[in-house]
Amino acid sequence: MSGPKRFINDVKVSERHGAGEWLQERLSSLILIPLTLWGLWSGWALSGAGYDGALAWFRSPVNATLLAATLLISLWHMNMGLKVIVDDYIHRPASRGALLGLIGLVCVVSAAAGVFFIVRLALGSAPLPAGLGA
Amino acid sequence: MSTSPLPGDASNDPTDDQSGRFVRQPNGRVRPLSPHLQVWRFHLTMLGSILNRIAAGALSVGALFVVGWLAAAAFGRGAYETYASIMGSPVGLLIWFGLSLAGAYHLTAGVRHMIWDAGSGLTPKSATSLTIVSMVAAVVIVVAFWAILFMTGKVVL
């Protein structure tokens, strides 16, 4: 299972996948610091702006891109965080596997649906369900 | 495969334990988990950690609310105005106040973790100070945010 031990600066390199997950958690956190502050600012801009204000906001490519990035990186970060919580408290392998699968599914569906909505709003598409056979 | 002797009565089967007191190690042996809440003396970094995890759970639900908001916008004026009126009601505003507090604390507590990961602030005294700063900063950010929202008339009760 484990290969030869490797060291960088006298610190042993992880033999399996733990270090990669650690790095992913830190990387996503780091990117989310500015994105969260931007999200706070956007929340201020969108509050009370109504439907027309929201549509105008989405037509800005900067807003649409940053929102998609915030959503995707948040869901990635959330998936890792919830996995750690489940690993901590759920010990029966079948329950743990089922919960992790459910959480993963919710994250993937949220990501796909969210990006779909953002792209439509950014392109100024007609309100749904137009274009979906209705 | 060998298992450890059962502590206490036979109904206390560590191989089918859901209390988290026992865990099966990668080598197949069942071992007790390290001591948990009931034996810890309260300390502030403990509270900071628990609150950060609660905030993470709240934000996970909040992410679904954001996707719901996107859906409402994509489904047109009627859907958007229904969503906005629910979220603009007193209960809705309370939910978003809680979510913004969770978001602000998860942010400041996350920065605190970054400082710890860099190897700084790890003595008990400075770890506690960092935790106090992260809590106070989160409350200040959220109170200022909502004060501005109400003062500019963007949100009304």
PDB file of all heavy atoms in Angstrom, chain A residues 26 29-30 40 44-45 48 51-52 54 58 88-89 91-92 110 117 127-128, chain B residues 16 18 20 53 60 64 69-71 74 76-77 80 114 117 145 148-149 154:
ATOM      1  N   ARG A  26      -7.223  24.273   2.472  1.00  0.00           N
ATOM      2  CA  ARG A  26      -6.595  25.599   2.643  1.00  0.00           C
ATOM      3  C   ARG A  26      -6.732  26.443   1.395  1.00  0.00           C
ATOM      4  O   ARG A  26      -6.992  27.642   1.469  1.00  0.00           O
ATOM      5  CB  ARG A  26      -5.110  25.448   3.008  1.00  0.00           C
ATOM      6  CG  ARG A  26      -4.871  25.381   4.496  1.00  0.00           C
ATOM      7  CD  ARG A  26      -5.319  24.062   5.034  1.00  0.00           C
ATOM      8  NE  ARG A  26      -5.533  24.011   6.463  1.00  0.00           N
ATOM      9  CZ  ARG A  26      -6.182  23.012   7.054  1.00  0.00           C
ATOM     10  NH1 ARG A  26      -6.706  22.031   6.315  1.00  0.00           N
ATOM     11  NH2 ARG A  26      -6.352  22.995   8.330  1.00  0.00           N
ATOM     12  N   SER A  29     -10.251  27.738   1.098  1.00  0.00           N
ATOM     13  CA  SER A  29     -10.474  28.765   2.119  1.00  0.00           C
ATOM     14  C   SER A  29      -9.856  30.096   1.704  1.00  0.00           C
ATOM     15  O   SER A  29     -10.476  31.151   1.829  1.00  0.00           O
ATOM     16  CB  SER A  29      -9.869  28.346   3.456  1.00  0.00           C
ATOM     17  OG  SER A  29     -10.335  27.091   3.848  1.00  0.00           O
ATOM     18  N   LEU A  30      -8.623  30.006   1.205  1.00  0.00           N
ATOM     19  CA  LEU A  30      -7.887  31.211   0.830  1.00  0.00           C
ATOM     20  C   LEU A  30      -8.617  31.971  -0.278  1.00  0.00           C
ATOM     21  O   LEU A  30      -8.768  33.190  -0.214  1.00  0.00           O
ATOM     22  CB  LEU A  30      -6.481  30.804   0.362  1.00  0.00           C
ATOM     23  CG  LEU A  30      -5.330  31.738   0.663  1.00  0.00           C
ATOM     24  CD1 LEU A  30      -5.243  32.025   2.151  1.00  0.00           C
ATOM     25  CD2 LEU A  30      -4.013  31.134   0.178  1.00  0.00           C
ATOM     26  N   LEU A  40     -20.593  39.784   0.442  1.00  0.00           N
ATOM     27  CA  LEU A  40     -21.219  40.694   1.402  1.00  0.00           C
ATOM     28  C   LEU A  40     -21.596  41.997   0.700  1.00  0.00           C
ATOM     29  O   LEU A  40     -22.708  42.519   0.856  1.00  0.00           O
ATOM     30  CB  LEU A  40     -20.224  40.963   2.537  1.00  0.00           C
ATOM     31  CG  LEU A  40     -20.751  41.256   3.935  1.00  0.00           C
ATOM     32  CD1 LEU A  40     -21.563  40.090   4.451  1.00  0.00           C
ATOM     33  CD2 LEU A  40     -19.592  41.531   4.884  1.00  0.00           C
ATOM     34  N   TRP A  44     -25.348  43.593  -0.221  1.00  0.00           N
ATOM     35  CA  TRP A  44     -25.771  44.969   0.027  1.00  0.00           C
ATOM     36  C   TRP A  44     -26.344  45.586  -1.256  1.00  0.00           C
ATOM     37  O   TRP A  44     -27.393  46.226  -1.237  1.00  0.00           O
ATOM     38  CB  TRP A  44     -24.582  45.795   0.533  1.00  0.00           C
ATOM     39  CG  TRP A  44     -24.944  47.204   0.807  1.00  0.00           C
ATOM     40  CD1 TRP A  44     -25.582  47.687   1.915  1.00  0.00           C
ATOM     41  CD2 TRP A  44     -24.745  48.329  -0.059  1.00  0.00           C
ATOM     42  NE1 TRP A  44     -25.791  49.037   1.794  1.00  0.00           N
ATOM     43  CE2 TRP A  44     -25.293  49.457   0.594  1.00  0.00           C
ATOM     44  CE3 TRP A  44     -24.165  48.483  -1.313  1.00  0.00           C
ATOM     45  CZ2 TRP A  44     -25.260  50.725   0.027  1.00  0.00           C
ATOM     46  CZ3 TRP A  44     -24.134  49.748  -1.880  1.00  0.00           C
ATOM     47  CH2 TRP A  44     -24.666  50.856  -1.207  1.00  0.00           C
ATOM     48  N   ALA A  45     -25.676  45.337  -2.394  1.00  0.00           N
ATOM     49  CA  ALA A  45     -26.113  45.925  -3.662  1.00  0.00           C
ATOM     50  C   ALA A  45     -27.473  45.366  -4.089  1.00  0.00           C
ATOM     51  O   ALA A  45     -28.293  46.087  -4.654  1.00  0.00           O
ATOM     52  CB  ALA A  45     -25.063  45.657  -4.752  1.00  0.00           C
ATOM     53  N   GLY A  48     -33.158  44.853  -1.631  1.00  0.00           N
ATOM     54  CA  GLY A  48     -34.147  45.867  -1.951  1.00  0.00           C
ATOM     55  C   GLY A  48     -34.101  46.350  -3.391  1.00  0.00           C
ATOM     56  O   GLY A  48     -34.802  47.296  -3.747  1.00  0.00           O
ATOM     57  N   TYR A  51     -36.613  42.766  -8.723  1.00  0.00           N
ATOM     58  CA  TYR A  51     -36.338  41.882  -9.862  1.00  0.00           C
ATOM     59  C   TYR A  51     -35.521  42.580 -10.938  1.00  0.00           C
ATOM     60  O   TYR A  51     -34.530  42.031 -11.439  1.00  0.00           O
ATOM     61  CB  TYR A  51     -37.675  41.381 -10.433  1.00  0.00           C
ATOM     62  CG  TYR A  51     -37.544  40.466 -11.621  1.00  0.00           C
ATOM     63  CD1 TYR A  51     -36.917  39.218 -11.511  1.00  0.00           C
ATOM     64  CD2 TYR A  51     -38.062  40.843 -12.861  1.00  0.00           C
ATOM     65  CE1 TYR A  51     -36.813  38.375 -12.601  1.00  0.00           C
ATOM     66  CE2 TYR A  51     -37.962  39.999 -13.958  1.00  0.00           C
ATOM     67  CZ  TYR A  51     -37.339  38.772 -13.823  1.00  0.00           C
ATOM     68  OH  TYR A  51     -37.232  37.940 -14.909  1.00  0.00           O
ATOM     69  N   ASP A  52     -35.889  43.836 -11.262  1.00  0.00           N
ATOM     70  CA  ASP A  52     -35.175  44.549 -12.326  1.00  0.00           C
ATOM     71  C   ASP A  52     -33.731  44.836 -11.922  1.00  0.00           C
ATOM     72  O   ASP A  52     -32.815  44.697 -12.738  1.00  0.00           O
ATOM     73  CB  ASP A  52     -35.915  45.853 -12.652  1.00  0.00           C
ATOM     74  CG  ASP A  52     -37.309  45.583 -13.212  1.00  0.00           C
ATOM     75  OD1 ASP A  52     -37.417  44.691 -14.067  1.00  0.00           O
ATOM     76  OD2 ASP A  52     -38.272  46.233 -12.764  1.00  0.00           O
ATOM     77  N   ALA A  54     -31.969  43.023  -9.871  1.00  0.00           N
ATOM     78  CA  ALA A  54     -31.244  41.761  -9.902  1.00  0.00           C
ATOM     79  C   ALA A  54     -30.852  41.410 -11.335  1.00  0.00           C
ATOM     80  O   ALA A  54     -29.710  41.011 -11.610  1.00  0.00           O
ATOM     81  CB  ALA A  54     -32.090  40.650  -9.290  1.00  0.00           C
ATOM     82  N   PHE A  58     -27.072  40.832 -12.825  1.00  0.00           N
ATOM     83  CA  PHE A  58     -26.603  39.594 -13.465  1.00  0.00           C
ATOM     84  C   PHE A  58     -26.047  39.838 -14.857  1.00  0.00           C
ATOM     85  O   PHE A  58     -25.226  39.060 -15.347  1.00  0.00           O
ATOM     86  CB  PHE A  58     -27.751  38.572 -13.563  1.00  0.00           C
ATOM     87  CG  PHE A  58     -27.934  37.749 -12.327  1.00  0.00           C
ATOM     88  CD1 PHE A  58     -29.008  37.954 -11.484  1.00  0.00           C
ATOM     89  CD2 PHE A  58     -27.022  36.749 -12.006  1.00  0.00           C
ATOM     90  CE1 PHE A  58     -29.185  37.191 -10.338  1.00  0.00           C
ATOM     91  CE2 PHE A  58     -27.190  35.982 -10.867  1.00  0.00           C
ATOM     92  CZ  PHE A  58     -28.271  36.207 -10.033  1.00  0.00           C
ATOM     93  N   ASP A  88     -16.273  12.334  11.411  1.00  0.00           N
ATOM     94  CA  ASP A  88     -16.086  12.461  12.857  1.00  0.00           C
ATOM     95  C   ASP A  88     -17.184  11.756  13.652  1.00  0.00           C
ATOM     96  O   ASP A  88     -16.921  11.204  14.719  1.00  0.00           O
ATOM     97  CB  ASP A  88     -16.084  13.946  13.261  1.00  0.00           C
ATOM     98  CG  ASP A  88     -14.713  14.574  13.082  1.00  0.00           C
ATOM     99  OD1 ASP A  88     -13.774  13.832  12.735  1.00  0.00           O
ATOM    100  OD2 ASP A  88     -14.584  15.781  13.290  1.00  0.00           O
ATOM    101  N   TYR A  89     -18.426  11.833  13.173  1.00  0.00           N
ATOM    102  CA  TYR A  89     -19.543  11.410  14.014  1.00  0.00           C
ATOM    103  C   TYR A  89     -20.250  10.145  13.556  1.00  0.00           C
ATOM    104  O   TYR A  89     -20.973   9.536  14.342  1.00  0.00           O
ATOM    105  CB  TYR A  89     -20.581  12.545  14.134  1.00  0.00           C
ATOM    106  CG  TYR A  89     -20.002  13.815  14.719  1.00  0.00           C
ATOM    107  CD1 TYR A  89     -20.149  15.041  14.081  1.00  0.00           C
ATOM    108  CD2 TYR A  89     -19.295  13.781  15.911  1.00  0.00           C
ATOM    109  CE1 TYR A  89     -19.608  16.195  14.610  1.00  0.00           C
ATOM    110  CE2 TYR A  89     -18.748  14.934  16.441  1.00  0.00           C
ATOM    111  CZ  TYR A  89     -18.910  16.135  15.797  1.00  0.00           C
ATOM    112  OH  TYR A  89     -18.370  17.285  16.317  1.00  0.00           O
ATOM    113  N   HIS A  91     -19.964   6.387  12.313  1.00  0.00           N
ATOM    114  CA  HIS A  91     -18.907   5.382  12.298  1.00  0.00           C
ATOM    115  C   HIS A  91     -19.278   4.112  11.542  1.00  0.00           C
ATOM    116  O   HIS A  91     -18.404   3.346  11.177  1.00  0.00           O
ATOM    117  CB  HIS A  91     -18.506   5.042  13.732  1.00  0.00           C
ATOM    118  CG  HIS A  91     -18.070   6.259  14.496  1.00  0.00           C
ATOM    119  ND1 HIS A  91     -16.914   6.933  14.190  1.00  0.00           N
ATOM    120  CD2 HIS A  91     -18.657   6.967  15.480  1.00  0.00           C
ATOM    121  CE1 HIS A  91     -16.793   7.984  14.984  1.00  0.00           C
ATOM    122  NE2 HIS A  91     -17.846   8.028  15.772  1.00  0.00           N
ATOM    123  N   ARG A  92     -20.601   3.849  11.360  1.00  0.00           N
ATOM    124  CA  ARG A  92     -20.972   2.630  10.645  1.00  0.00           C
ATOM    125  C   ARG A  92     -20.725   2.864   9.159  1.00  0.00           C
ATOM    126  O   ARG A  92     -21.258   3.813   8.583  1.00  0.00           O
ATOM    127  CB  ARG A  92     -22.447   2.319  10.917  1.00  0.00           C
ATOM    128  CG  ARG A  92     -22.856   0.943  10.453  1.00  0.00           C
ATOM    129  CD  ARG A  92     -24.309   0.677  10.792  1.00  0.00           C
ATOM    130  NE  ARG A  92     -24.479   0.293  12.181  1.00  0.00           N
ATOM    131  CZ  ARG A  92     -25.534   0.630  12.921  1.00  0.00           C
ATOM    132  NH1 ARG A  92     -26.471   1.403  12.406  1.00  0.00           N
ATOM    133  NH2 ARG A  92     -25.635   0.219  14.152  1.00  0.00           N
ATOM    134  N   SER A 110     -26.564  21.083  -6.943  1.00  0.00           N
ATOM    135  CA  SER A 110     -26.598  22.519  -6.678  1.00  0.00           C
ATOM    136  C   SER A 110     -25.649  23.266  -7.604  1.00  0.00           C
ATOM    137  O   SER A 110     -25.990  24.341  -8.116  1.00  0.00           O
ATOM    138  CB  SER A 110     -26.200  22.811  -5.229  1.00  0.00           C
ATOM    139  OG  SER A 110     -27.071  22.167  -4.346  1.00  0.00           O
ATOM    140  N   PHE A 117     -28.527  28.456 -13.985  1.00  0.00           N
ATOM    141  CA  PHE A 117     -29.321  29.665 -13.751  1.00  0.00           C
ATOM    142  C   PHE A 117     -28.481  30.918 -13.992  1.00  0.00           C
ATOM    143  O   PHE A 117     -28.953  31.883 -14.610  1.00  0.00           O
ATOM    144  CB  PHE A 117     -29.875  29.687 -12.319  1.00  0.00           C
ATOM    145  CG  PHE A 117     -30.849  28.575 -12.010  1.00  0.00           C
ATOM    146  CD1 PHE A 117     -30.826  27.935 -10.779  1.00  0.00           C
ATOM    147  CD2 PHE A 117     -31.787  28.172 -12.953  1.00  0.00           C
ATOM    148  CE1 PHE A 117     -31.726  26.918 -10.489  1.00  0.00           C
ATOM    149  CE2 PHE A 117     -32.691  27.150 -12.670  1.00  0.00           C
ATOM    150  CZ  PHE A 117     -32.656  26.518 -11.435  1.00  0.00           C
ATOM    151  N   PRO A 127     -37.368  34.191 -19.096  1.00  0.00           N
ATOM    152  CA  PRO A 127     -37.585  33.437 -17.853  1.00  0.00           C
ATOM    153  C   PRO A 127     -37.961  31.988 -18.130  1.00  0.00           C
ATOM    154  O   PRO A 127     -38.667  31.704 -19.099  1.00  0.00           O
ATOM    155  CB  PRO A 127     -38.746  34.186 -17.196  1.00  0.00           C
ATOM    156  CG  PRO A 127     -38.676  35.563 -17.744  1.00  0.00           C
ATOM    157  CD  PRO A 127     -38.166  35.421 -19.148  1.00  0.00           C
ATOM    158  N   LEU A 128     -37.477  31.091 -17.264  1.00  0.00           N
ATOM    159  CA  LEU A 128     -37.842  29.681 -17.363  1.00  0.00           C
ATOM    160  C   LEU A 128     -39.349  29.556 -17.117  1.00  0.00           C
ATOM    161  O   LEU A 128     -39.930  30.412 -16.454  1.00  0.00           O
ATOM    162  CB  LEU A 128     -37.050  28.877 -16.322  1.00  0.00           C
ATOM    163  CG  LEU A 128     -35.566  28.698 -16.644  1.00  0.00           C
ATOM    164  CD1 LEU A 128     -34.834  28.185 -15.408  1.00  0.00           C
ATOM    165  CD2 LEU A 128     -35.369  27.743 -17.792  1.00  0.00           C
TER     166      LEU A 128
ATOM    167  N   ASP B  16     -20.238  -2.341  17.283  1.00  0.00           N
ATOM    168  CA  ASP B  16     -21.458  -1.764  16.731  1.00  0.00           C
ATOM    169  C   ASP B  16     -21.763  -0.461  17.455  1.00  0.00           C
ATOM    170  O   ASP B  16     -22.899  -0.171  17.803  1.00  0.00           O
ATOM    171  CB  ASP B  16     -22.620  -2.758  16.857  1.00  0.00           C
ATOM    172  CG  ASP B  16     -23.836  -2.257  16.072  1.00  0.00           C
ATOM    173  OD1 ASP B  16     -23.643  -1.725  14.963  1.00  0.00           O
ATOM    174  OD2 ASP B  16     -24.963  -2.372  16.591  1.00  0.00           O
ATOM    175  N   GLN B  18     -22.281   3.432  18.053  1.00  0.00           N
ATOM    176  CA  GLN B  18     -22.651   4.655  17.337  1.00  0.00           C
ATOM    177  C   GLN B  18     -22.444   5.886  18.205  1.00  0.00           C
ATOM    178  O   GLN B  18     -22.774   6.991  17.807  1.00  0.00           O
ATOM    179  CB  GLN B  18     -24.119   4.583  16.888  1.00  0.00           C
ATOM    180  CG  GLN B  18     -24.355   3.563  15.793  1.00  0.00           C
ATOM    181  CD  GLN B  18     -23.610   3.917  14.516  1.00  0.00           C
ATOM    182  OE1 GLN B  18     -23.829   4.965  13.926  1.00  0.00           O
ATOM    183  NE2 GLN B  18     -22.712   3.050  14.089  1.00  0.00           N
ATOM    184  N   GLY B  20     -19.609   6.963  19.239  1.00  0.00           N
ATOM    185  CA  GLY B  20     -18.338   7.597  18.951  1.00  0.00           C
ATOM    186  C   GLY B  20     -17.294   7.326  20.007  1.00  0.00           C
ATOM    187  O   GLY B  20     -16.226   7.929  19.997  1.00  0.00           O
ATOM    188  N   ARG B  53     -18.060  25.057  13.599  1.00  0.00           N
ATOM    189  CA  ARG B  53     -18.674  23.898  12.956  1.00  0.00           C
ATOM    190  C   ARG B  53     -20.183  24.122  12.784  1.00  0.00           C
ATOM    191  O   ARG B  53     -20.758  23.756  11.762  1.00  0.00           O
ATOM    192  CB  ARG B  53     -18.398  22.634  13.783  1.00  0.00           C
ATOM    193  CG  ARG B  53     -18.625  21.369  13.012  1.00  0.00           C
ATOM    194  CD  ARG B  53     -17.931  20.193  13.650  1.00  0.00           C
ATOM    195  NE  ARG B  53     -16.663  19.915  12.975  1.00  0.00           N
ATOM    196  CZ  ARG B  53     -16.081  18.719  12.995  1.00  0.00           C
ATOM    197  NH1 ARG B  53     -16.609  17.719  13.652  1.00  0.00           N
ATOM    198  NH2 ARG B  53     -14.954  18.523  12.341  1.00  0.00           N
ATOM    199  N   SER B  60     -24.082  25.634   4.964  1.00  0.00           N
ATOM    200  CA  SER B  60     -24.426  24.605   3.980  1.00  0.00           C
ATOM    201  C   SER B  60     -25.893  24.728   3.592  1.00  0.00           C
ATOM    202  O   SER B  60     -26.249  24.610   2.419  1.00  0.00           O
ATOM    203  CB  SER B  60     -24.147  23.211   4.540  1.00  0.00           C
ATOM    204  OG  SER B  60     -22.789  23.098   4.898  1.00  0.00           O
ATOM    205  N   LEU B  64     -27.976  26.378  -0.154  1.00  0.00           N
ATOM    206  CA  LEU B  64     -29.183  25.922  -0.850  1.00  0.00           C
ATOM    207  C   LEU B  64     -30.166  27.094  -1.026  1.00  0.00           C
ATOM    208  O   LEU B  64     -30.844  27.185  -2.054  1.00  0.00           O
ATOM    209  CB  LEU B  64     -29.848  24.779  -0.080  1.00  0.00           C
ATOM    210  CG  LEU B  64     -28.968  23.537   0.119  1.00  0.00           C
ATOM    211  CD1 LEU B  64     -29.737  22.438   0.840  1.00  0.00           C
ATOM    212  CD2 LEU B  64     -28.449  23.015  -1.225  1.00  0.00           C
ATOM    213  N   TRP B  69     -32.511  31.210  -4.588  1.00  0.00           N
ATOM    214  CA  TRP B  69     -32.633  32.590  -5.054  1.00  0.00           C
ATOM    215  C   TRP B  69     -32.316  32.678  -6.551  1.00  0.00           C
ATOM    216  O   TRP B  69     -33.017  33.351  -7.315  1.00  0.00           O
ATOM    217  CB  TRP B  69     -31.682  33.479  -4.240  1.00  0.00           C
ATOM    218  CG  TRP B  69     -31.487  34.855  -4.787  1.00  0.00           C
ATOM    219  CD1 TRP B  69     -32.406  35.863  -4.811  1.00  0.00           C
ATOM    220  CD2 TRP B  69     -30.296  35.374  -5.397  1.00  0.00           C
ATOM    221  NE1 TRP B  69     -31.865  36.980  -5.395  1.00  0.00           N
ATOM    222  CE2 TRP B  69     -30.574  36.702  -5.767  1.00  0.00           C
ATOM    223  CE3 TRP B  69     -29.032  34.850  -5.663  1.00  0.00           C
ATOM    224  CZ2 TRP B  69     -29.625  37.513  -6.387  1.00  0.00           C
ATOM    225  CZ3 TRP B  69     -28.085  35.657  -6.275  1.00  0.00           C
ATOM    226  CH2 TRP B  69     -28.383  36.969  -6.629  1.00  0.00           C
ATOM    227  N   LEU B  70     -31.254  31.948  -6.991  1.00  0.00           N
ATOM    228  CA  LEU B  70     -30.902  31.922  -8.415  1.00  0.00           C
ATOM    229  C   LEU B  70     -32.058  31.353  -9.237  1.00  0.00           C
ATOM    230  O   LEU B  70     -32.400  31.864 -10.309  1.00  0.00           O
ATOM    231  CB  LEU B  70     -29.646  31.067  -8.632  1.00  0.00           C
ATOM    232  CG  LEU B  70     -28.334  31.669  -8.124  1.00  0.00           C
ATOM    233  CD1 LEU B  70     -27.219  30.645  -8.206  1.00  0.00           C
ATOM    234  CD2 LEU B  70     -27.980  32.894  -8.951  1.00  0.00           C
ATOM    235  N   ALA B  71     -32.667  30.269  -8.718  1.00  0.00           N
ATOM    236  CA  ALA B  71     -33.786  29.647  -9.425  1.00  0.00           C
ATOM    237  C   ALA B  71     -34.932  30.642  -9.546  1.00  0.00           C
ATOM    238  O   ALA B  71     -35.529  30.795 -10.621  1.00  0.00           O
ATOM    239  CB  ALA B  71     -34.230  28.381  -8.696  1.00  0.00           C
ATOM    240  N   ALA B  74     -34.214  33.093 -12.194  1.00  0.00           N
ATOM    241  CA  ALA B  74     -34.265  32.506 -13.533  1.00  0.00           C
ATOM    242  C   ALA B  74     -35.695  32.195 -13.959  1.00  0.00           C
ATOM    243  O   ALA B  74     -35.979  32.093 -15.148  1.00  0.00           O
ATOM    244  CB  ALA B  74     -33.408  31.239 -13.583  1.00  0.00           C
ATOM    245  N   GLY B  76     -38.288  34.112 -13.417  1.00  0.00           N
ATOM    246  CA  GLY B  76     -39.034  35.308 -13.782  1.00  0.00           C
ATOM    247  C   GLY B  76     -39.556  36.135 -12.616  1.00  0.00           C
ATOM    248  O   GLY B  76     -39.370  35.800 -11.448  1.00  0.00           O
ATOM    249  N   ARG B  77     -40.227  37.232 -12.976  1.00  0.00           N
ATOM    250  CA  ARG B  77     -40.654  38.230 -12.013  1.00  0.00           C
ATOM    251  C   ARG B  77     -41.522  37.668 -10.890  1.00  0.00           C
ATOM    252  O   ARG B  77     -41.284  37.962  -9.707  1.00  0.00           O
ATOM    253  CB  ARG B  77     -41.408  39.351 -12.735  1.00  0.00           C
ATOM    254  CG  ARG B  77     -41.756  40.544 -11.854  1.00  0.00           C
ATOM    255  CD  ARG B  77     -42.450  41.632 -12.663  1.00  0.00           C
ATOM    256  NE  ARG B  77     -41.593  42.137 -13.736  1.00  0.00           N
ATOM    257  CZ  ARG B  77     -40.688  43.106 -13.566  1.00  0.00           C
ATOM    258  NH1 ARG B  77     -40.534  43.654 -12.380  1.00  0.00           N
ATOM    259  NH2 ARG B  77     -39.956  43.522 -14.566  1.00  0.00           N
ATOM    260  N   TYR B  80     -39.507  35.546  -8.515  1.00  0.00           N
ATOM    261  CA  TYR B  80     -38.525  36.347  -7.790  1.00  0.00           C
ATOM    262  C   TYR B  80     -39.197  37.163  -6.694  1.00  0.00           C
ATOM    263  O   TYR B  80     -38.692  37.241  -5.568  1.00  0.00           O
ATOM    264  CB  TYR B  80     -37.772  37.281  -8.748  1.00  0.00           C
ATOM    265  CG  TYR B  80     -36.553  37.906  -8.113  1.00  0.00           C
ATOM    266  CD1 TYR B  80     -35.340  37.235  -8.107  1.00  0.00           C
ATOM    267  CD2 TYR B  80     -36.616  39.153  -7.492  1.00  0.00           C
ATOM    268  CE1 TYR B  80     -34.222  37.779  -7.508  1.00  0.00           C
ATOM    269  CE2 TYR B  80     -35.496  39.708  -6.887  1.00  0.00           C
ATOM    270  CZ  TYR B  80     -34.300  39.024  -6.907  1.00  0.00           C
ATOM    271  OH  TYR B  80     -33.201  39.554  -6.307  1.00  0.00           O
ATOM    272  N   MET B 114      -5.904  29.990   9.411  1.00  0.00           N
ATOM    273  CA  MET B 114      -4.791  30.225   8.484  1.00  0.00           C
ATOM    274  C   MET B 114      -3.555  30.703   9.261  1.00  0.00           C
ATOM    275  O   MET B 114      -2.431  30.295   8.968  1.00  0.00           O
ATOM    276  CB  MET B 114      -5.175  31.309   7.466  1.00  0.00           C
ATOM    277  CG  MET B 114      -6.241  30.883   6.492  1.00  0.00           C
ATOM    278  SD  MET B 114      -5.543  29.785   5.249  1.00  0.00           S
ATOM    279  CE  MET B 114      -7.003  29.442   4.296  1.00  0.00           C
ATOM    280  N   ASP B 117      -2.184  27.766  10.954  1.00  0.00           N
ATOM    281  CA  ASP B 117      -1.534  26.872   9.988  1.00  0.00           C
ATOM    282  C   ASP B 117      -0.160  27.390   9.593  1.00  0.00           C
ATOM    283  O   ASP B 117       0.727  26.622   9.224  1.00  0.00           O
ATOM    284  CB  ASP B 117      -2.401  26.711   8.729  1.00  0.00           C
ATOM    285  CG  ASP B 117      -3.636  25.857   9.008  1.00  0.00           C
ATOM    286  OD1 ASP B 117      -3.620  25.116   9.998  1.00  0.00           O
ATOM    287  OD2 ASP B 117      -4.601  25.939   8.232  1.00  0.00           O
ATOM    288  N   PHE B 145     -22.973  45.711   8.906  1.00  0.00           N
ATOM    289  CA  PHE B 145     -23.634  45.371   7.636  1.00  0.00           C
ATOM    290  C   PHE B 145     -25.137  45.641   7.713  1.00  0.00           C
ATOM    291  O   PHE B 145     -25.713  46.297   6.849  1.00  0.00           O
ATOM    292  CB  PHE B 145     -23.345  43.901   7.317  1.00  0.00           C
ATOM    293  CG  PHE B 145     -23.968  43.399   6.047  1.00  0.00           C
ATOM    294  CD1 PHE B 145     -23.538  43.865   4.817  1.00  0.00           C
ATOM    295  CD2 PHE B 145     -24.977  42.437   6.086  1.00  0.00           C
ATOM    296  CE1 PHE B 145     -24.104  43.394   3.641  1.00  0.00           C
ATOM    297  CE2 PHE B 145     -25.552  41.963   4.914  1.00  0.00           C
ATOM    298  CZ  PHE B 145     -25.117  42.443   3.688  1.00  0.00           C
ATOM    299  N   ILE B 148     -26.099  49.362   8.138  1.00  0.00           N
ATOM    300  CA  ILE B 148     -26.065  50.085   6.859  1.00  0.00           C
ATOM    301  C   ILE B 148     -27.296  49.728   6.019  1.00  0.00           C
ATOM    302  O   ILE B 148     -27.930  50.596   5.411  1.00  0.00           O
ATOM    303  CB  ILE B 148     -24.758  49.765   6.101  1.00  0.00           C
ATOM    304  CG1 ILE B 148     -23.555  50.343   6.860  1.00  0.00           C
ATOM    305  CG2 ILE B 148     -24.807  50.332   4.697  1.00  0.00           C
ATOM    306  CD1 ILE B 148     -22.213  49.911   6.303  1.00  0.00           C
ATOM    307  N   LEU B 149     -27.660  48.430   6.009  1.00  0.00           N
ATOM    308  CA  LEU B 149     -28.832  48.006   5.229  1.00  0.00           C
ATOM    309  C   LEU B 149     -30.094  48.732   5.685  1.00  0.00           C
ATOM    310  O   LEU B 149     -30.904  49.172   4.867  1.00  0.00           O
ATOM    311  CB  LEU B 149     -29.043  46.494   5.368  1.00  0.00           C
ATOM    312  CG  LEU B 149     -28.235  45.584   4.437  1.00  0.00           C
ATOM    313  CD1 LEU B 149     -28.553  44.129   4.721  1.00  0.00           C
ATOM    314  CD2 LEU B 149     -28.535  45.903   2.978  1.00  0.00           C
ATOM    315  N   LYS B 154     -32.584  49.993   2.424  1.00  0.00           N
ATOM    316  CA  LYS B 154     -32.624  48.848   1.508  1.00  0.00           C
ATOM    317  C   LYS B 154     -33.426  47.709   2.115  1.00  0.00           C
ATOM    318  O   LYS B 154     -33.985  46.877   1.396  1.00  0.00           O
ATOM    319  CB  LYS B 154     -31.197  48.380   1.204  1.00  0.00           C
ATOM    320  CG  LYS B 154     -30.496  49.254   0.184  1.00  0.00           C
ATOM    321  CD  LYS B 154     -29.049  48.835   0.049  1.00  0.00           C
ATOM    322  CE  LYS B 154     -28.422  49.390  -1.219  1.00  0.00           C
ATOM    323  NZ  LYS B 154     -28.900  48.728  -2.443  1.00  0.00           N
TER     324      LYS B 154
END
